[in-house]
mmCIF file of all heavy atoms in Angstrom:
data_model
loop_
_atom_site.group_PDB
_atom_site.id
_atom_site.type_symbol
_atom_site.label_atom_id
_atom_site.label_comp_id
_atom_site.label_asym_id
_atom_site.label_seq_id
_atom_site.Cartn_x
_atom_site.Cartn_y
_atom_site.Cartn_z
ATOM 1 N N ARG R 15 -106.225 -8.718 -24.294
ATOM 2 C CA ARG R 15 -107.290 -8.745 -25.305
ATOM 3 C C ARG R 15 -106.840 -7.940 -26.536
ATOM 4 O O ARG R 15 -105.765 -7.323 -26.544
ATOM 5 C CB ARG R 15 -108.584 -8.162 -24.737
ATOM 6 C CG ARG R 15 -108.508 -6.665 -24.492
ATOM 7 C CD ARG R 15 -109.813 -6.105 -23.978
ATOM 8 N NE ARG R 15 -109.869 -4.665 -24.188
ATOM 9 C CZ ARG R 15 -110.761 -3.862 -23.635
ATOM 10 N NH1 ARG R 15 -111.681 -4.358 -22.841
ATOM 11 N NH2 ARG R 15 -110.754 -2.569 -23.889
ATOM 12 N N ILE R 17 -105.554 -6.267 -29.908
ATOM 13 C CA ILE R 17 -104.330 -6.360 -30.714
ATOM 14 C C ILE R 17 -103.214 -7.023 -29.908
ATOM 15 O O ILE R 17 -102.488 -7.887 -30.430
ATOM 16 C CB ILE R 17 -103.903 -4.942 -31.184
ATOM 17 C CG1 ILE R 17 -104.934 -4.382 -32.178
ATOM 18 C CG2 ILE R 17 -102.514 -4.977 -31.809
ATOM 19 C CD1 ILE R 17 -104.743 -2.899 -32.527
ATOM 20 N N ASP R 36 -100.870 -6.510 -18.137
ATOM 21 C CA ASP R 36 -102.140 -5.802 -18.377
ATOM 22 C C ASP R 36 -102.723 -5.326 -17.051
ATOM 23 O O ASP R 36 -102.460 -5.904 -15.997
ATOM 24 C CB ASP R 36 -103.136 -6.737 -19.082
ATOM 25 C CG ASP R 36 -104.145 -5.969 -19.926
ATOM 26 O OD1 ASP R 36 -104.950 -5.200 -19.356
ATOM 27 O OD2 ASP R 36 -104.138 -6.132 -21.158
ATOM 28 N N ASP R 63 -99.877 -1.431 -14.043
ATOM 29 C CA ASP R 63 -100.312 -0.179 -14.666
ATOM 30 C C ASP R 63 -99.077 0.449 -15.304
ATOM 31 O O ASP R 63 -98.200 0.960 -14.594
ATOM 32 C CB ASP R 63 -100.898 0.740 -13.585
ATOM 33 C CG ASP R 63 -101.294 2.104 -14.134
ATOM 34 O OD1 ASP R 63 -101.129 2.334 -15.355
ATOM 35 O OD2 ASP R 63 -101.766 2.936 -13.344
ATOM 36 N N VAL R 64 -99.015 0.429 -16.628
ATOM 37 C CA VAL R 64 -97.791 0.908 -17.300
ATOM 38 C C VAL R 64 -97.543 2.398 -17.060
ATOM 39 O O VAL R 64 -96.421 2.866 -17.207
ATOM 40 C CB VAL R 64 -97.799 0.616 -18.828
ATOM 41 C CG1 VAL R 64 -97.781 -0.882 -19.090
ATOM 42 C CG2 VAL R 64 -98.954 1.311 -19.530
ATOM 43 N N ASN R 90 -97.832 -2.099 -26.265
ATOM 44 C CA ASN R 90 -99.116 -2.057 -26.973
ATOM 45 C C ASN R 90 -100.239 -1.449 -26.140
ATOM 46 O O ASN R 90 -101.220 -0.946 -26.705
ATOM 47 C CB ASN R 90 -99.476 -3.502 -27.387
ATOM 48 C CG ASN R 90 -100.938 -3.663 -27.722
ATOM 49 O OD1 ASN R 90 -101.370 -3.374 -28.832
ATOM 50 N ND2 ASN R 90 -101.747 -4.102 -26.749
ATOM 51 N N TYR R 155 -105.032 11.750 -27.675
ATOM 52 C CA TYR R 155 -104.581 10.467 -28.242
ATOM 53 C C TYR R 155 -103.552 10.700 -29.362
ATOM 54 O O TYR R 155 -102.498 10.056 -29.398
ATOM 55 C CB TYR R 155 -105.806 9.724 -28.770
ATOM 56 C CG TYR R 155 -105.535 8.337 -29.300
ATOM 57 C CD1 TYR R 155 -105.370 7.254 -28.430
ATOM 58 C CD2 TYR R 155 -105.474 8.091 -30.673
ATOM 59 C CE1 TYR R 155 -105.141 5.974 -28.920
ATOM 60 C CE2 TYR R 155 -105.253 6.820 -31.164
ATOM 61 C CZ TYR R 155 -105.089 5.759 -30.289
ATOM 62 O OH TYR R 155 -104.860 4.499 -30.782
ATOM 63 N N LYS R 159 -99.673 9.491 -29.451
ATOM 64 C CA LYS R 159 -99.171 8.557 -30.467
ATOM 65 C C LYS R 159 -98.088 9.196 -31.335
ATOM 66 O O LYS R 159 -97.191 8.501 -31.823
ATOM 67 C CB LYS R 159 -100.332 8.040 -31.314
ATOM 68 C CG LYS R 159 -101.320 7.174 -30.535
ATOM 69 C CD LYS R 159 -100.654 5.926 -29.962
ATOM 70 C CE LYS R 159 -101.661 4.967 -29.345
ATOM 71 N NZ LYS R 159 -101.018 3.734 -28.832
ATOM 72 N N GLY R 186 -104.286 1.768 -38.509
ATOM 73 C CA GLY R 186 -105.405 2.655 -38.836
ATOM 74 C C GLY R 186 -106.589 2.241 -37.985
ATOM 75 O O GLY R 186 -106.476 2.157 -36.765
ATOM 76 N N ILE R 188 -108.793 -0.535 -36.634
ATOM 77 C CA ILE R 188 -108.753 -1.989 -36.462
ATOM 78 C C ILE R 188 -109.960 -2.391 -35.621
ATOM 79 O O ILE R 188 -110.294 -1.724 -34.631
ATOM 80 C CB ILE R 188 -107.443 -2.414 -35.737
ATOM 81 C CG1 ILE R 188 -106.203 -1.779 -36.394
ATOM 82 C CG2 ILE R 188 -107.326 -3.934 -35.651
ATOM 83 C CD1 ILE R 188 -105.945 -2.155 -37.830
ATOM 84 N N THR R 190 -111.610 -3.755 -32.839
ATOM 85 C CA THR R 190 -111.386 -4.244 -31.467
ATOM 86 C C THR R 190 -112.399 -3.538 -30.553
ATOM 87 O O THR R 190 -113.169 -2.693 -31.007
ATOM 88 C CB THR R 190 -109.978 -3.883 -30.939
ATOM 89 O OG1 THR R 190 -109.906 -2.460 -30.762
ATOM 90 C CG2 THR R 190 -108.862 -4.340 -31.852
HETATM 91 P P1 LIG I 1 -108.098 -2.634 -26.343
HETATM 92 O O1 LIG I 1 -108.780 -1.591 -25.533
HETATM 93 O O2 LIG I 1 -108.887 -3.767 -26.883
HETATM 94 O O3 LIG I 1 -106.866 -3.256 -25.506
HETATM 95 C C1 LIG I 1 -105.980 -2.455 -24.776
HETATM 96 C C2 LIG I 1 -105.407 -3.265 -23.628
HETATM 97 O O4 LIG I 1 -104.516 -2.401 -22.888
HETATM 98 C C3 LIG I 1 -106.483 -3.756 -22.639
HETATM 99 O O5 LIG I 1 -106.295 -5.124 -22.336
HETATM 100 C C4 LIG I 1 -106.271 -2.883 -21.413
HETATM 101 O O6 LIG I 1 -106.621 -3.506 -20.181
HETATM 102 C C5 LIG I 1 -104.762 -2.594 -21.498
HETATM 103 N N1 LIG I 1 -104.411 -1.385 -20.752
HETATM 104 C C6 LIG I 1 -105.054 -0.190 -20.762
HETATM 105 N N2 LIG I 1 -104.463 0.652 -19.905
HETATM 106 C C7 LIG I 1 -103.423 -0.009 -19.350
HETATM 107 C C8 LIG I 1 -102.448 0.332 -18.368
HETATM 108 N N3 LIG I 1 -102.437 1.537 -17.769
HETATM 109 N N4 LIG I 1 -101.503 -0.596 -18.027
HETATM 110 C C9 LIG I 1 -101.530 -1.834 -18.602
HETATM 111 N N5 LIG I 1 -102.436 -2.218 -19.524
HETATM 112 C C10 LIG I 1 -103.373 -1.313 -19.877
HETATM 113 O O7 LIG I 1 -107.346 -1.821 -27.496
HETATM 114 P P2 LIG I 1 -106.732 -2.295 -28.903
HETATM 115 O O8 LIG I 1 -107.622 -1.798 -29.975
HETATM 116 O O9 LIG I 1 -106.330 -3.729 -28.867
HETATM 117 O O10 LIG I 1 -105.432 -1.339 -28.929
HETATM 118 C C11 LIG I 1 -104.118 -1.805 -28.673
HETATM 119 C C12 LIG I 1 -103.153 -0.701 -29.059
HETATM 120 O O11 LIG I 1 -103.304 -0.364 -30.442
HETATM 121 C C13 LIG I 1 -103.369 0.620 -28.291
HETATM 122 O O12 LIG I 1 -102.133 1.233 -28.009
HETATM 123 C C14 LIG I 1 -104.149 1.458 -29.272
HETATM 124 O O13 LIG I 1 -103.990 2.835 -29.041
HETATM 125 C C15 LIG I 1 -103.505 1.023 -30.590
HETATM 126 N N6 LIG I 1 -104.313 1.290 -31.765
HETATM 127 C C16 LIG I 1 -105.546 0.719 -31.922
HETATM 128 C C17 LIG I 1 -106.287 1.005 -33.063
HETATM 129 C C18 LIG I 1 -107.648 0.403 -33.301
HETATM 130 O O14 LIG I 1 -108.278 0.797 -34.286
HETATM 131 N N7 LIG I 1 -108.108 -0.517 -32.487
HETATM 132 C C19 LIG I 1 -105.775 1.890 -34.024
HETATM 133 C C20 LIG I 1 -104.523 2.442 -33.838
HETATM 134 C C21 LIG I 1 -103.797 2.131 -32.699
#
Side-chain angles (χ1 to χ4, degrees):
R15 69 178 200 193
I17 293 170
D36 207 295
D63 176 1
V64 295
N90 162 83
Y155 184 79
K159 294 299 188 178
I188 310 298
T190 68

